[in-house]
Amino acid sequence: MRTWHVLLGLFTVIAVPATTDAASTGTQRSLYAANQSSGDRGSISVYDIDVGHRLIKTIPTVPDVADVRGVAASAATGRLYVAYQDASGTGKVYCLDLYSEKIAWNTVISPGVDRLAVNPNGQLLYVPTWEGGSADYINVVEAGTGDVVRRVYFSNRSHDTQYPLSGPVFQETKAEDGSGNYLYMIDPNSYAVSRIGPYSGVLGPYAVDGASRYAVNNVRNLWGMQVADLTAGQTITAIIPDHPPGDPGLLHGIGWTPDETEAWQSGSRSDPHVYIWDMRNPMTPVFKERLTLRSDRGSHWLTFDIKGDYAYIAPFKNSDDKTEVFDARTHISIGVIDSSEDMLEIDFTDGKTSRVGDQYGIGRRKNPVEKAALLPTGK
């Protein structure tokens, strides 16, 4: 077990050589990050992934963003969606046209919003009704207009909706009545709901692999993670060795590397570490490494670029602390970008959106097909 803490300058934009990816393919790989710091909350910063995460531009969006709750994008339609709460606590979603960089629509989604997902053809959004709410459903939203077209009922306090590469729609909740101890799966055509569990406690963030065979899960009061075999309906528990003392509460942040050889996991709020697991055998994970963050506080989210070159480790929600960037292969910290936990890669080829990443650390090894190529159309 190794511990890395590499200081390459305090809170500065990354300075690394450009790769040949953009030049050789005509593709621009950009990181779109919804800012959460107090000075520019709600705007979108765009970074050039292949030129040291150089800041390209900052896109103004909508006024009165108090809390960004999630981000999703569609390569099929060239649109990006941000769920947020305004200063009054009202849940809203706005749609940004990636070509014109204008807001196509901005609307209230009642009774609330949280981390959302978009379907493969970019026509539908799946919007949870907020982890602090009592509604026992999620909203299905017409992506072109923001109109709610359906409700899917299953549990209250819905949070973190995910549409991984092999589908279906995944959902967790913060419900305290026992239903929050399950991971839910929603068929995107029939809207039938099934579930995996129970886990050992209420679920937090999670991520699904490329074949939708395994899910890694943060679970309340667990210094470690639980892994579910979604086909067999089994779960195992992996404990972080030599973890800090006391109750961790909820370790908040987890994801597969795109090649699915590792899972990265955030520490607790006061624990400035990220924990890495060897996942070559998903149901027998092996603890691999503990990384030390530049900040003396814990992280709240993590995700990766599409190719798995970089890991993005976000500070706690609405913090002015920077988001730290690691080389995902060497595990070395290489710099920071402005504070964001709601970010994803968007690629442009010949001026058109060609590929999108995901706010979640979803696996990609067993299904490299992009969402735009998958075509469930149910409403």
Side-chain angles (χ1 to χ4, degrees):
M1 180 179 68
R2 295 174 291 165
T3 299
W4 292 94
H5 190 180
V6 181
L7 294 176
L8 301 181
L10 184 60
F11 295 153
T12 55
V13 175
I14 304 161
V16 298
T19 71
T20 59
D21 189 73
S24 61
T25 65
T27 295
Q28 170 73 48
R29 298 202 306 149
S30 299
L31 181 71
Y32 279 65
N35 292 308
Q36 69 174 11
S37 62
S38 55
D40 56 1
R41 188 170 301 156
S43 63
I44 303 289
S45 287
V46 183
Y47 301 92
D48 189 330
I49 293 174
D50 292 317
V51 186
H53 290 81
R54 175 180 60 88
L55 178 64
I56 300 172
K57 57 190 169 184
T58 298
I59 304 170
T61 57
V62 299
D64 198 28
V65 175
D67 184 11
V68 180
R69 303 299 300 182
V71 63
S74 170
T77 63
R79 290 189 162 191
L80 178 144
Y81 304 91
V82 174
Y84 71 98
Q85 291 178 337
D86 66 16
S88 72
T90 300
K92 297 180 178 181
V93 175
Y94 72 73
C95 170
L96 175 72
D97 184 294
L98 291 167
Y99 300 122
S100 68
E101 297 184 350
K102 303 296 185 183
I103 299 299
W105 53 261
N106 177 37
T107 190
V108 174
I109 306 293
S110 181
V113 301
D114 231 308
R115 291 188 194 273
L116 74 174
V118 61
N119 80 334
N121 59 20
Q123 301 304 306
L124 295 174
L125 304 175
Y126 307 94
V127 185
T129 46
W130 186 46
E131 63 176 311
S134 60
D136 61 348
Y137 59 88
I138 67 168
N139 284 310
V140 182
V141 174
E142 174 63 55
T145 63
D147 295 332
V148 175
V149 296
R150 191 182 188 104
R151 293 175 175 176
V152 182
Y153 290 84
F154 57 97
S155 177
N156 61 90
R157 299 184 64 180
S158 57
H159 186 43
D160 291 357
T161 308
Q162 190 171 138
Y163 203 136
L165 297 180
S166 294
V169 181
F170 285 82
Q171 182 70 58
E172 57 94 2
T173 87
K174 294 292 174 58
E176 300 283 356
D177 59 3
S179 60
N181 293 37
Y182 291 85
L183 180 64
Y184 294 86
M185 295 170 286
I186 303 169
D187 185 287
N189 290 304
S190 69
Y191 292 102
V193 179
S194 58
R195 66 185 190 178
I196 295 292
Y199 289 78
S200 65
V202 174
L203 295 187
Y206 66 98
V208 180
D209 73 343
S212 292
R213 173 67 188 275
Y214 300 103
V216 290
N217 305 266
N218 294 133
V219 182
R220 189 176 295 172
N221 303 323
L222 179 64
W223 271 112
M225 65 176 179
Q226 289 194 286
V227 184
D229 183 324
L230 301 173
T231 301
Q234 299 175 339
T235 61
I236 61 94
T237 301
I239 302 296
I240 296 169
D242 302 320
H243 59 72
D247 186 340
L250 177 63
L251 306 187
H252 200 284
I254 196 165
W256 300 88
T257 53
D259 65 6
E260 300 175 14
T261 60
E262 295 176 346
W264 291 40
Q265 182 177 17
S266 294
S268 71
R269 189 179 187 93
S270 59
D271 173 32
H273 297 97
V274 170
Y275 301 94
I276 299 179
W277 300 89
D278 186 320
M279 298 298 291
R280 285 175 292 182
N281 186 337
M283 295 304 282
T284 56
V286 176
F287 184 72
K288 187 174 183 179
E289 195 166 344
R290 184 190 324 261
L291 308 183
T292 301
L293 301 175
R294 298 182 182 206
S295 169
D296 60 0
R297 292 173 288 276
S299 58
H300 194 251
W301 198 257
L302 60 85
T303 190
F304 300 87
D305 70 312
I306 292 173
K307 294 198 303 180
D309 293 332
Y310 303 107
Y312 305 102
I313 313 298
F316 264 76
K317 181 171 284 293
N318 298 325
S319 168
D320 288 342
D321 289 349
K322 304 293 185 176
T323 292
E324 191 165 356
V325 185
F326 283 81
D327 184 308
R329 296 185 172 87
T330 65
H331 302 169
I332 294 174
S333 174
I334 58 174
V336 298
I337 58 175
D338 286 338
S339 182
S340 176
E341 67 169 22
D342 302 282
M343 69 194 83
L344 47 73
E345 177 181 339
I346 300 178
D347 295 352
F348 291 83
T349 302
D350 298 326
K352 298 292 185 181
T353 51
S354 55
R355 206 176 190 195
V356 298
D358 204 283
Q359 67 185 319
Y360 300 97
I362 58 173
R364 295 178 179 272
R365 180 175 70 87
K366 296 180 182 178
N367 186 354
V369 177
E370 287 304 300
K371 291 182 179 180
L374 305 174
L375 299 174
T377 57
K379 284 191 178 181

